[in-house]
Amino acid sequence: MPYLNISDVTLSFGGLKALSNVNMKIEEGLITSIIGPNGAGKTSMLNCISGFYHPTLGDIFYGEKKLTNASPTRFQIWG
Ligand SMILES: Nc1ncnc2c1ncn2[C@@H]1O[C@H](COP(=O)(O)OP(=O)(O)O)[C@@H](O)[C@H]1O
Ligand SMILES: [Mg+2]
């Protein structure tokens, strides 16, 4: 089954690392949440998945499709 595979994602804003080597595998059909305190990086992670931000390092795949540098307006995971 395809899944969202987040591999070693790091997102830096200058010297600040909003995300540091994040790894997650999210399976299709499961309701999955990202939890954490304010400033933990939840929004940054979702913005990387949607393509609004692009990770500084690491990769995001949905099945075989690479989302890492996809545009939020052009990419369709279902297409
Ligand atoms: N556009 C940005 N520029 C600079 N720092 C940012 C930006 N977006 C988020 N951050 C920083 O990244 C860290 C994670 O923030 P964020 O992803 O918003 O966390 P959460 O959604 O879990 O509260 C925080 O330290 C925040 O200040
Ligand atoms: Mg947030």
Side-chain angles (χ1 to χ4, degrees), residues 4-69:
L4 196 59
N5 191 357
I6 291 152
S7 173
D8 276 332
V9 165
T10 292
L11 179 69
S12 299
F13 294 107
L16 188 146
K17 275 190 182 175
L19 301 170
S20 180
N21 297 97
V22 176
N23 290 280
M24 290 194 287
K25 282 186 180 173
I26 299 169
E27 291 184 42
E28 191 173 275
L30 293 183
I31 296 172
T32 304
S33 63
I34 301 174
I35 64 169
N38 284 345
K42 304 177 296 293
T43 300
S44 296
M45 188 70 252
L46 291 171
N47 283 337
C48 285
I49 293 169
S50 71
F52 187 65
Y53 291 163
H54 295 147
T56 311
L57 293 169
D59 275 308
I60 301 172
F61 278 85
Y62 179 72
E64 301 291 308
K65 286 192 176 183
K66 189 172 180 173
L67 301 190
T68 314
N69 292 304

